[in-house]
Amino acid sequence: MSTETATPTVAELEEQERRLVLRRFTHDDAWALGSLLVELAREREAPVAIDIHRAGQQLFHAALPGSAPDNDAWIARKRRVVERYGSASYLVGARFRAKGTTFEESSRLDPDTYAAHGGSFPLTVADVGVIGAVTVSGLPQLEDHRLVVAALERFLGE
């Protein structure tokens, strides 16, 4: 597994997705996960906005001190990548980089609508599939990604 400072490999990112699978995901679960993310972000004094969507409905949103309206635009762009590809926004970008290109150059998608930058992670329910996304914006992309992963790990009791 990568260290906290190393950039994770595609394989490591794929392993995170295989590991971080939920048994279910209710409105109450969205509140609990969102509140956990707020707690972790406050501990780190992270100026982030946090969003949880399920089946096209926003179930949780918080904007912490230091975040800005632009973070909401980034959240929407990163979440659309998860919805389209069924994978974490950081993993989608990493897959393009591993092929020697970038998402912006090769996806043929409007970069004003889609952003394969870290911070949005699929909410995957066992035996169902991807049902939504949890997204953070406000830190460098790898830190956004790691904050979401840390919250999901704690939420799942890992």
Side-chain angles (χ1 to χ4, degrees), residues 20-35 37 51-55 57-60 121-126 128-135 151-152 155-156:
L20 300 174
V21 175
L22 307 154
R23 288 186 309 105
R24 61 161 208 237
F25 197 75
T26 66
H27 286 74
D28 289 338
D29 292 327
W31 179 260
L33 177 58
S35 298
L37 265 165
D51 178 88
I52 299 175
H53 264 69
R54 183 189 70 188
Q57 181 183 20
Q58 184 179 55
L59 300 183
F60 185 93
F121 202 92
L123 293 169
T124 304
V125 174
V128 176
V130 176
I131 53 96
V134 53
T135 311
L152 283 167
F155 184 75
L156 289 167

Side-chain angles (χ1 to χ4, degrees), residues 82-127:
V82 172
E83 292 167 348
R84 184 171 186 116
Y85 289 85
S87 291
S89 54
Y90 190 78
L91 173 55
V92 172
R95 285 176 174 151
F96 278 91
R97 288 187 295 277
K99 293 177 185 172
T101 185
T102 66
F103 178 82
E104 294 77 13
E105 291 170 358
S106 298
S107 71
R108 301 183 62 153
L109 296 172
D110 182 354
D112 290 334
T113 305
Y114 295 91
H117 292 257
S120 192
F121 202 92
L123 293 169
T124 304
V125 174
D127 300 322

